[in-house]
Amino acid sequence: MVNNQSNTNNPRLDYEYRRRKNAEGMRIQVATFTLMIFFTVISFAAVAAGFSKWFVIPVILLLAVIQVGFQLYYFMHMGEKGHEAPSMFMWSGIGVAFLTILAFVTIIWW
Amino acid sequence: MNADEKYTPQTWPEGPERATLEGKNKFLGFWFFLGGETVLFASLFATYIALKDKVPSPDHALAKDLFELPLVFVMTMLLLTSSLTSVYAMYHLKNYDFKKMQLWLVITVLLGLGFLGCEIYEFVHYYHAFDHTFTSSAFGSAFYTLTGFHGAHVIFGLAWFIALIVRNAGRGLNLYNAPKFYVASLYWHFIDVVWVFIFTVVYLMGMVG
Amino acid sequence: MSTIAQKRGFASTIWDYLTTVDHKKIAILYLIAGGFFFLLGGIEAMLIRIQLAVPNNDFVSAGFYNELLTMHGTTMIFLAAMPLLLGFMNAIMPLQIGARDVAFPFINALGFWLFFFGGVFLNLSWFLGGAPDAGWTSYASLSLASEGHGIDFYALGLQISGFGTLMGGINFLVTIINMRAPGMTYMRMPLFTWTTFVASALILFAFPPLTASIFMLTFDRMFGANFFNVAAGGNTIIWEHFFWIFGHPEVYILILPAFGIFSEIFATFSRKRLFGYSSMVFATVLIGFLGFMVWAHHMFTVGLGPVANAIFAVATMAIAVPTGIKIFNWLLTIWGGSIKFTVPMIYAVAFIPSFVMGGVTGVMQAAAPADYQYHDSYFIVAHFHYVIVGGVVLALLAGTHFYWPKMFGTMLSEKIGKFTFFFFFVGFHLTFFVQHFLGLMGMPRRVWTFLPGQGLDTGNLVSSVGAAFMAIGVVSLLVNIVITTMKNERVGNDPWGDGRTLEWALPSPAPFYNFKQLPLVRGLDAYWLEKMEGKDTLTPAEPIGDIHMPNPSFVPVVISFGLFVAAFGAMYQVDDKPWAIPVLIIGLAITFGAMLYRSIKDDHGFHIHKEDLMEDDDDNKGVKA
Amino acid sequence: MKNRLSKWRLMSVFAALALVLSGCGEPFLSTLTPAGEVAYQQYDLMILSTVIMVAVIVVVTIIFVLAITRFRRKKGEEDKIPKQVEGSHTLEIVWTVIPIVLLLILAVPTVIMTFDQADVKAMDEEPNEEGVRDALVVNVRASLYWWEFEYPDYGVITSQELVVPTDQKVYFNLIASDVKHSFWIPAAGGKMDTNTDNVNKFWLEFDSEKADEANNLFYGKCAELCGPSHALMDFKVETKSQEDFQAWLNAMQSAEEVAPADTAAAQGQQIFEQSCLSCHAVTPQDGRPEQARLAPNLATFGERSRIAGILDHNEEELKNWIRDPEQYKPGNKMTGTYQELSEEELDQLASYLMSLKVEEK
Ligand code: HEA
Ligand code: HEA
Ligand code: CUA
Ligand SMILES: [Cu+2]
């Protein structure tokens, strides 16, 4: 993933390096953000343009999923070191969430 | 390690939010809480999907009658941007730049307030223009509960940020409050995550039918 | 800090417990409160059985019966079984992993007080116009139609105590991940710790759907929403799904820690390491995982359609496999062991056939078309009491005897213990075995009475007699506790002589900081390993140093009390009581005010100094940590 | 040796089981005396699963008994440390695979029957020119503590007592009008919920031989907690041969309002028209919409076997019921909806109600 933390045990080592790395990380965050805005605009535009719903719905759902992935993995650093347990539990939660929603769109009638 | 110890940018540790055991615990516990919140919101989403457009009689407004893209777009931009500004705040937390961190947090709060203002306007509008209320139909209940729970999270997040900003204004960063700032910003991102699905599933999918 | 064992006045003891953040004291609080609710639920069960002893009985009225049965189920599950298990988790798990405390001592206390106030609120319904009467499942159409405030008590009470449970779950998860002693790898954790871990994960994911649906019920009943109101577009099946998405994992939240307790007991009293440890761990995780995919087996007759029914039927059956793995591993643990029949071991041994009988009826119910017959009949009642009483309650009783010395420093009488076991066990089978047949013979569950001439009379009478046996058993346990407490014969760190895990290396009860020096764990059954090498102390992983401890706090009580107050406001605003809304606001203000206070006021805890620890050592000559 | 032992045990347990099961319950109520296609299937599945489960229990019990008898700590062994075995892969595989096989044996018929019993395609077939389908369809509506049975193709409504032909599939549309109930005729087959939100469909079949054994009268139950009188929400199922059933339908279709036989009954009719007719209908062809049918249809009341599903069918109990329904069915929806009645009026009402018949019996 991005801005992998240096593996040094001494946190005071190489202050300059860390500053640079943080700044680099921040640039990636901004790039991510730009993409997110871009996706959002596409979603809104697709709806505003009035395409068929069989086209629009999968597309905007896909974009939403990607965007949320960005939030989790970039803004919230879920893929980075030290996030093994968080990501396991988030994924489990997402699993339960998915099952719940799946059930509610299939076996609640109408 | 004394949590109150004073630091300089040079001595400030690499992962300040997890430099103490308390910080580690808080960090992990909060992530798990978010895992649970994921399921909570999924439940509300599932309910909303099941009850969308379920109204007692045909004269009630449906999703496609209610929603308007421009307002939702503005709200989305406000919230997404506030997510970025809180990333900036965390960037300065890592760099031990307390002033800038506070500044970005204040900007985050302002954006969040803007979002909240829009949401309140939106709800009032639905009430006046469509008689679409919490009690008017199952659709209304599900809609306001989902968006309202999200709105309540926004309010709580704002209150949390404000409390942190004010409480720590006089004493700067240390290893005792760094995890608190970090965790609050995680919360804020999570609110954004939920909103991404709200604008997609509720508003956009509501518009296309 | 050296003179911990000072004599204290009564009031200061109470204050101590009100403000404690020590996991061992919180465990005692859970034990007391959970035990109290168990007696309450038990008395409700007795009234149920008295009413059903003979046909056409009018010992209680129809409406009252429904309140009894609802409160019996709700109390037993939410306020007795689960809190008692949380109590054992609190008492033992941190010791087992070599931790000084849980990750969030404050949250731990908050969790307890939320549960407590929620439970008290729920039970106040008896005195304030009637208890909930729609069954512990509170299906939406009936729970909306139910008059009075019973269901409101149910919704608000469970909501408050549910928050508490959720906090407990998160706390244990973080504790187990972050607070293990050096060398305590995941695959060296005792099985009780593992089951605590998995059960906590289940709590984390199962409670939010309940929270959400209880909110909906609250909104529908108290604030005019229409989630379940069919006339306004609502849908009652939503409630059923949420309840069981929560409810099924809930039963594994109950049984897994029970499995954990038994795993410890089997290994201890067979003097053998647990057979197939890694497959036991694997099975535990797998049960937890599968637990989320089977909920609709409670809804086979709802009309979800054959596809859903078939899928959920097969998925449900799959759970028999990991559970079977556990059963056979236990059998192989005692196989070739050197079994000592102490009271805990007797319970453990009795558990195996009892639970298997309950488990296999579960699998029978999983066969959907057959379940069309069993569903909502006494067959179901028999099934779940076999797994719950034959599994969870036997584990609680076993755990009580097993861990009593570790928690209180004195041993329960083995003689009375065997008496308790005998009556409880015989009574349990008498009560519930015939219920299978009552169900098959056409007796629906949740019936207030039954008419003569349907062939149901004898079975019900037998069942009621059995319940009386169980009551004798429970009463004898109480007697045992009183006598033991009065005698108060102190015991050392390993009173059973065969302790294997870290907690048995500590004095009974453990000092409030648990470990003077964190231990170095060198394998599974760490204490046993040391004993086998002829040592009776643990290898320390650190030199003696200052120990950081959290401060006691009264804030958890205040936060919980605020919600308790607010609940009254929320409930009575339905009746247009002028004071209701203000009370709601005041209650919430108390809660949020206390939370704000907590987050603004720094609380760094305190340190026990090295010198005091050394001094302590001299006080406790002979008992080593 | 061990093998023989387990076989012998299995057989004896099985024999005992069969004995216990067959001796169990009343033929009009018990699921163990199945009386129709659906119940047979379910019974077979129950027996199959029971056999598997008893086998499991027996195996566990044998290992269990051997273990606890052979390995108890004996005197003089206080210091014995048994071998610390880690586990065994072979055994792990054995006790993973065998249960899987057993479960597959159970799963296959489960899935087949699930689909079979949900097959209600016959209900959707086109009706003929008189609006009648080949399949017999009954609309069941459950209300707080009573049941309504409508034969939509024939325009006939009855209550509390379902009348069905034997040896023929009967299809049901199920719904509840207030809170959720569940429709269960244990001897004829497993239940289906009556939801408030939607119509559920399923079918049952009644075997003529078994019906004979049950005197052509099965008991039905409400199997979902629905309020104080949930326990008393019973109904009855009367089975008739197909010809008798057809005759019954014809009688129902052509039934007219009963003319009172004597003055008492005539008086009763008057009272009834004043106080009761707003809810209860007295002809089987009730044209009102569902929501207006607030109470059991009493057209066949004189022929019933029970009053309100539970009380003996005689004038005394009838008067008791009308005097104070609350005493017999707490929370029922009839209590307090009409004015006090004098003893004389009660007598008159009773004789009128008892005269309400469609088929002379
Ligand atoms: C501690 C609680 C607990 C536990 C552990 C279980 C365990 C199981 N339960 Fe149970 N159940 C309840 C508590 C519990 N249940 C409650 C409270 C209800 C009713 C709720 C209500 O309606 O109020 C209920 C209801 C219930 C139903 C719904 C019935 C209905 O209402 O129609 C079903 C249906 O499938 C079911 C199935 C199972 C199964 C398959 C298991 C399995 O996990 C069992 C697995 C164990 C074994 C099978 C035994 C050991 C295994 C072997 C020795 C291996 C070999 C075995 C085979 C090959 C079969 N349960
Ligand atoms: C943990 C869960 C748990 C436990 C332990 C029990 C324990 C018992 N239960 Fe159960 N029960 C449920 C959970 C539990 N139950 C649930 C979930 C339901 C479904 C509810 C619903 O349908 O909604 C249910 C329903 C239920 C029914 C069906 C009611 C109906 O459908 O109409 C019956 C009937 O026999 C019953 C009986 C019993 C009995 C006899 C015990 C016994 O084991 C109890 C033993 C305890 C005692 C005997 C205590 C004795 C105490 C004293 C004697 C007091 C002494 C006091 C002082 C000295 C102060 N229970
Ligand atoms: Cu109707 Cu129970
Ligand atoms: Cu279940």
Side-chain angles (χ1 to χ4, degrees):
Chain A
M1 288 277 100
V2 258
N3 62 359
N4 270 321
Q5 311 208 334
S6 68
N7 282 332
T8 163
N9 285 328
N10 180 354
R12 284 152 212 203
L13 198 78
D14 204 353
Y15 162 69
E16 277 308 313
Y17 167 73
R18 270 170 48 207
R19 289 298 281 241
R20 249 182 294 124
K21 211 190 61 187
N22 288 348
E24 168 64 22
M26 197 58 226
R27 258 190 301 284
I28 294 177
Q29 301 283 33
V30 176
T32 311
F33 174 74
T34 319
L35 273 176
M36 283 164 52
I37 296 290
F38 179 61
F39 288 164
T40 309
V41 172
I42 293 183
S43 289
F44 275 84
V47 173
F51 296 127
S52 143
K53 77 180 198 184
W54 301 112
F55 170 72
V56 172
I57 291 181
V59 169
I60 60 179
L61 279 177
L62 184 70
L63 291 179
V65 169
I66 297 175
Q67 226 191 101
V68 162
F70 282 174
Q71 286 269 359
L72 289 172
Y73 279 94
Y74 290 86
F75 283 9
M76 299 166 81
H77 312 285
M78 202 170 85
E80 286 173 22
K81 204 166 133 279
H83 288 70
E84 295 79 14
S87 78
M88 191 178 98
F89 275 77
M90 280 308 279
W91 278 108
S92 310
I94 291 167
V96 176
F98 178 75
L99 268 180
T100 308
I101 292 175
L102 184 69
F104 273 59
V105 293
T106 51
I107 49 177
I108 299 243
W109 305 306
W110 317 297
Chain B
M1 188 162 350
N2 188 349
D4 270 338
E5 199 180 315
K6 284 279 169 245
Y7 288 87
T8 67
Q10 281 77 18
T11 61
W12 187 238
E14 163 126 32
E17 76 279 2
R18 277 177 286 160
T20 61
L21 179 62
E22 284 74 22
K24 277 198 194 89
N25 287 344
K26 197 164 267 171
F27 169 83
L28 205 57
F30 197 79
W31 267 106
F32 292 168
F33 170 73
L34 292 184
E37 287 255 279
T38 306
V39 182
L40 180 75
F41 273 104
S43 307
L44 298 177
F45 271 106
T47 308
Y48 175 80
I49 293 168
L51 294 180
K52 176 173 172 246
D53 289 349
K54 295 291 183 301
V55 292
S57 61
D59 52 332
H60 283 75
L62 302 181
K64 61 179 189 318
D65 312 323
L66 290 169
F67 304 146
E68 284 160 29
L69 283 185
L71 181 66
V72 182
F73 187 73
V74 170
M75 288 164 74
T76 305
M77 287 303 141
L78 285 172
L79 212 57
L80 283 183
T81 312
S82 80
S83 209
L84 181 73
T85 57
S86 82
V87 171
Y88 266 109
M90 288 309 106
Y91 169 62
H92 292 298
L93 177 111
K94 276 194 204 146
N95 287 342
Y96 200 67
D97 191 338
F98 182 65
K99 287 242 167 58
K100 283 205 182 126
M101 182 189 83
Q102 291 279 72
L103 179 67
W104 282 109
L105 284 181
V106 170
I107 296 174
T108 306
V109 167
L110 292 178
L111 289 167
L113 284 174
F115 172 86
L116 209 58
C118 292
E119 184 149 71
I120 292 170
Y121 163 80
E122 182 201 356
F123 288 177
V124 171
H125 172 69
Y126 292 156
Y127 171 59
H128 285 300
F130 299 98
D131 262 337
H132 177 68
T133 69
F134 186 60
T135 56
S136 64
S137 64
F139 172 45
S141 304
F143 170 78
Y144 285 107
T145 302
L146 175 55
T147 52
F149 255 71
H150 177 263
H153 275 67
V154 172
I155 295 175
F156 191 86
L158 291 176
W160 192 358
F161 273 143
I162 293 170
L164 283 177
I165 294 169
V166 173
R167 173 67 181 92
N168 294 301
R171 58 177 186 178
L173 276 172
N174 56 34
L175 290 184
Y176 179 69
N177 60 22
K180 297 187 178 209
F181 281 111
Y182 188 86
V183 160
S185 97
L186 278 184
Y187 187 70
W188 195 253
H189 291 308
F190 184 76
I191 291 173
D192 221 25
V193 165
V194 173
W195 180 256
V196 169
F197 281 115
I198 291 189
F199 85 67
T200 305
V201 172
V202 176
Y203 292 99
L204 294 185
M205 278 167 62
M207 299 287 293
V208 294
Chain C
M1 272 292 121
S2 59
T3 41
I4 305 139
Q6 274 175 337
K7 282 250 180 301
R8 284 229 192 75
F10 183 67
S12 82
T13 308
I14 295 281
W15 179 250
D16 186 29
Y17 274 90
L18 283 174
T19 58
T20 187
V21 292
D22 177 356
H23 69 96
K24 296 175 290 303
K25 287 190 178 150
I26 292 173
I28 293 175
L29 289 174
Y30 268 118
L31 215 60
I32 294 172
F36 169 75
F37 284 123
F38 178 74
L39 292 180
L40 216 60
I43 292 172
E44 282 149 8
M46 291 302 114
L47 297 178
I48 288 177
R49 281 317 328 164
I50 293 175
Q51 165 65 20
L52 293 179
V54 290
N56 267 337
N57 202 358
D58 59 355
F59 175 71
V60 297
S61 73
F64 186 62
Y65 180 88
N66 287 353
E67 296 175 21
L68 279 177
L69 99 96
T70 304
M71 287 300 280
H72 164 68
T74 314
T75 304
M76 281 297 197
I77 300 260
F78 291 97
L79 308 180
M82 219 175 12
L84 286 169
L85 290 168
L86 288 174
F88 285 122
M89 293 176 187
N90 260 309
I92 303 303
M93 181 274 286
L95 306 182
Q96 282 194 330
I97 60 171
R100 294 233 164 79
D101 205 331
V102 292
F104 307 108
F106 178 89
I107 300 272
N108 202 12
L110 181 57
F112 169 78
W113 289 109
L114 284 170
F115 142 67
F116 180 76
F117 277 106
V120 169
F121 183 82
L122 182 54
N123 274 282
L124 282 179
S125 61
W126 288 116
F127 310 105
L128 298 174
D133 59 357
W136 83 289
T137 52
S138 211
Y139 274 13
S141 58
L142 181 59
S143 63
L144 290 192
S146 170
E147 283 157 22
H149 284 301
I151 306 294
D152 304 344
F153 276 106
Y154 171 96
L156 296 164
L158 287 191
Q159 191 70 286
I160 294 172
S161 73
F163 288 142
T165 309
L166 193 57
M167 289 177 189
I170 294 180
N171 187 12
F172 289 143
L173 287 174
V174 179
T175 305
I176 292 174
I177 294 181
N178 273 357
M179 312 279 284
R180 280 167 292 136
M184 177 61 82
T185 58
Y186 283 109
M187 289 315 273
R188 287 178 185 172
M189 295 194 318
L191 225 79
F192 181 60
T193 299
W194 259 111
T195 52
T196 300
F197 185 79
V198 176
S200 301
L202 293 185
I203 290 178
L204 176 61
F205 297 124
F207 268 71
L210 180 72
T211 307
S213 56
I214 288 188
F215 266 124
M216 294 175 204
L217 183 62
T218 310
F219 291 160
D220 267 18
R221 280 188 63 95
M222 285 163 255
F223 300 96
N226 294 306
F227 289 102
F228 312 124
N229 177 0
V230 177
N235 183 320
T236 58
I237 309 303
I238 289 177
W239 168 271
E240 295 184 25
H241 276 294
F242 280 138
F243 188 87
W244 292 119
I245 290 175
F246 149 77
H248 188 81
E250 167 68 19
V251 307
Y252 295 117
I253 294 170
L254 295 178
I255 202 67
L256 288 179
F259 285 172
I261 292 175
F262 284 132
S263 298
E264 305 294 330
I265 293 177
F266 279 126
T268 303
F269 295 108
S270 307
R271 254 193 209 158
K272 233 173 118 232
R273 68 174 268 164
L274 201 62
F275 191 88
Y277 170 85
S278 39
S279 70
M280 287 295 250
V281 170
F282 172 73
T284 306
V285 176
L286 190 61
I287 292 175
F289 179 74
L290 290 175
F292 278 99
M293 332 217 154
V294 301
W295 78 86
H297 65 215
H298 297 273
M299 299 169 66
F300 282 148
T301 65
V302 167
L304 303 177
V307 179
N309 279 4
I311 292 175
F312 279 102
V314 176
T316 302
M317 292 178 189
I319 295 191
V321 177
T323 317
I325 292 179
K326 292 191 142 246
I327 298 278
F328 292 114
N329 274 316
W330 285 320
L331 287 174
L332 268 280
T333 302
I334 50 180
W335 190 274
S338 166
I339 308 171
K340 186 170 171 199
F341 282 100
T342 59
V343 170
M345 187 62 174
I346 294 176
Y347 277 110
V349 159
F351 147 82
I352 289 196
S354 311
F355 179 81
V356 169
M357 283 172 71
V360 294
T361 51
V363 178
M364 290 169 70
Q365 288 161 194
D371 185 65
Y372 299 164
Q373 287 285 27
Y374 309 136
H375 177 71
D376 260 328
S377 79
Y378 259 79
F379 193 88
I380 307 295
V381 178
H383 156 68
F384 69 74
H385 284 93
Y386 259 88
V387 278
I388 290 185
V389 180
V392 183
V393 176
L394 289 188
L396 290 171
L397 293 171
T400 306
H401 289 86
F402 188 49
Y403 290 123
W404 195 269
K406 194 46 60 191
M407 294 179 74
F408 298 101
T410 172
M411 293 274 260
L412 288 172
S413 150
E414 289 277 291
K415 241 202 215 116
I416 309 182
K418 285 176 185 161
F419 180 90
T420 307
F421 168 79
F422 177 79
F423 277 93
F424 195 85
F425 188 70
V426 171
F428 153 62
H429 282 282
L430 265 185
T431 308
F432 298 114
F433 189 71
V434 279
Q435 290 187 356
H436 292 111
F437 296 95
L438 287 174
L440 294 175
M441 282 151 60
M443 179 164 169
R445 64 190 276 206
R446 294 169 167 176
V447 291
W448 145 65
T449 186
F450 56 97
L451 303 179
Q454 302 183 98
L456 307 174
D457 308 9
T458 327
N460 274 298
L461 185 62
V462 171
S463 181
S464 296
V465 171
F469 271 63
M470 274 193 276
I472 297 174
V474 174
V475 170
S476 72
L477 175 65
L478 295 180
V479 171
N480 196 351
I481 290 174
V482 171
I483 292 180
T484 305
T485 311
M486 301 227 291
K487 277 201 195 145
N488 198 15
E489 288 165 9
R490 312 306 294 174
V491 293
N493 58 336
D494 186 12
W496 299 107
D498 289 326
R500 307 177 71 83
T501 39
L502 288 181
E503 73 269 30
W504 302 110
L506 293 173
S508 310
F512 69 100
Y513 46 81
N514 294 356
F515 294 89
K516 187 172 302 163
Q517 293 163 283
L518 291 184
L520 180 68
V521 177
R522 296 183 300 158
L524 186 65
D525 294 334
Y527 183 48
W528 175 261
L529 291 181
E530 305 286 352
K531 282 202 286 192
M532 285 300 102
E533 291 177 10
K535 293 184 267 181
D536 65 346
T537 55
L538 300 170
T539 314
E542 56 174 17
I544 297 188
D546 289 1
I547 296 178
H548 180 229
M549 297 298 292
N551 283 324
S553 168
F554 189 57
V555 178
V557 177
V558 179
I559 294 180
S560 315
F561 179 72
L563 287 182
F564 178 76
V565 172
F568 280 104
M571 193 166 68
Y572 284 109
Q573 54 84 25
V574 178
D575 304 340
D576 293 323
K577 295 252 189 330
W579 49 264
I581 297 283
V583 166
L584 175 62
I585 292 169
I586 292 171
L588 291 177
I590 294 176
T591 296
F592 284 108
M595 281 164 67
L596 191 67
Y597 169 81
R598 165 74 186 172
S599 68
I600 283 181
K601 194 173 160 301
D602 287 357
D603 182 354
H604 294 306
F606 65 94
H607 282 86
I608 318 172
H609 295 293
K610 193 172 156 183
E611 302 74 47
D612 295 330
L613 284 170
M614 306 284 234
E615 223 174 280
D616 237 26
D617 218 13
D618 302 334
D619 296 348
N620 295 337
K621 269 255 154 50
V623 185
K624 307 210 174 58
Chain D
M1 167 64 208
K2 212 165 111 192
N3 208 344
R4 267 235 305 285
L5 186 72
S6 78
K7 241 189 203 149
W8 174 82
R9 269 168 170 267
L10 191 90
M11 291 308 293
S12 66
V13 171
F14 199 151
L17 183 99
L19 209 79
V20 172
L21 288 191
S22 59
C24 247
E26 305 286 349
F28 53 81
L29 180 63
S30 175
T31 65
L32 302 174
T33 54
E37 174 69 18
V38 173
Y40 288 142
Q41 283 190 7
Q42 291 167 349
Y43 183 74
D44 290 346
L45 195 55
M46 282 155 63
I47 291 297
L48 172 67
S49 56
T50 309
V51 169
I52 296 177
M53 299 313 153
V54 170
V56 168
I57 293 173
V58 166
V59 170
V60 170
T61 310
I62 291 174
I63 305 178
F64 168 79
V65 171
L66 287 177
I68 61 172
T69 48
R70 282 181 48 188
F71 300 104
R72 37 176 69 237
R73 195 176 299 173
K74 304 194 183 69
K75 280 229 169 55
E77 284 185 352
E78 278 79 14
D79 294 329
K80 184 180 146 194
I81 305 290
K83 195 159 155 252
Q84 305 288 307
V85 196
E86 222 176 276
S88 152
H89 281 294
T90 332
L91 284 176
E92 303 276 2
I93 291 172
V94 169
W95 62 55
T96 308
V97 170
I98 294 182
I100 291 180
V101 172
L102 292 177
L103 291 174
L104 283 177
I105 296 175
L106 183 59
V108 171
T110 296
V111 172
I112 294 174
M113 282 184 206
T114 305
F115 282 91
D116 195 22
Q117 295 181 8
D119 178 9
V120 289
K121 280 196 289 293
M123 294 173 85
D124 304 328
E125 89 196 38
E126 283 298 306
N128 64 15
E129 49 282 10
E130 281 134 54
V132 176
R133 285 168 279 193
D134 280 343
L136 175 66
V137 177
V138 183
N139 294 347
V140 177
R141 190 165 62 95
S143 309
L144 280 166
Y145 321 128
W146 61 279
W147 298 86
E148 179 181 86
F149 306 105
E150 178 183 9
Y151 300 77
D153 294 358
Y154 303 92
V156 164
I157 293 176
T158 181
S159 295
Q160 309 289 37
E161 262 165 53
L162 169 67
V163 180
V164 289
T166 49
D167 301 327
Q168 166 187 349
K169 284 186 179 180
V170 185
Y171 292 87
F172 295 95
N173 282 315
L174 307 160
I175 193 145
S177 57
D178 30 43
V179 303
K180 180 178 172 120
H181 307 266
S182 187
F183 179 76
W184 187 27
I185 308 167
K191 63 190 74 62
M192 190 87 161
D193 292 355
T194 62
N195 295 309
T196 51
D197 329 55
N198 76 325
V199 174
N200 266 340
K201 297 167 196 251
F202 83 146
W203 61 274
L204 292 173
E205 196 242 14
F206 300 82
D207 190 293
S208 52
E209 262 170 56
K210 295 286 177 178
D212 273 346
E213 280 169 34
N215 289 329
N216 288 313
L217 195 69
F218 292 103
Y219 282 28
K221 303 262 172 191
C222 172
E224 183 67 56
L225 180 61
C226 52
S229 284
H230 157 64
L232 305 173
M233 193 168 155
D234 286 8
F235 61 96
K236 302 287 170 292
V237 186
E238 203 186 331
T239 46
K240 292 180 187 293
S241 70
Q242 292 178 12
E243 302 85 75
D244 289 355
F245 178 73
Q246 203 54 49
W248 177 79
L249 267 185
N250 292 341
M252 289 292 275
Q253 274 176 310
S254 54
E256 316 238 309
E257 215 180 316
V258 176
D262 51 34
T263 45
Q267 294 280 325
Q269 184 178 27
Q270 239 174 26
I271 305 169
F272 192 88
E273 272 162 11
Q274 262 170 27
S275 321
C276 322
L277 202 58
S278 56
C279 299
H280 291 281
V282 286
T283 52
Q285 318 91 0
D286 189 350
R288 295 173 298 172
E290 244 172 44
Q291 301 85 309
R293 305 200 295 257
L294 295 173
N297 186 309
L298 297 178
T300 58
F301 185 80
E303 301 162 349
R304 301 267 176 84
S305 56
R306 293 285 164 134
I307 297 165
I310 49 163
L311 299 174
D312 282 342
H313 193 257
N314 57 44
E315 291 207 7
E316 211 37 55
E317 291 284 30
L318 176 57
K319 284 188 286 183
N320 284 340
W321 167 258
I322 302 171
R323 208 177 282 126
D324 184 13
E326 197 64 17
Q327 197 186 332
Y328 302 97
K329 274 193 167 176
N332 78 78
K333 298 294 167 198
M334 171 160 149
T335 305
T337 55
Y338 50 95
Q339 85 285 9
E340 284 284 317
L341 297 163
S342 69
E343 281 306 307
E344 194 193 351
E345 288 171 316
L346 283 172
D347 283 333
Q348 294 164 342
L349 267 175
S351 66
Y352 169 65
L353 286 171
M354 283 299 184
S355 73
L356 292 175
K357 292 183 181 172
V358 169
E359 278 185 324
E360 278 321 310
K361 273 204 191 160

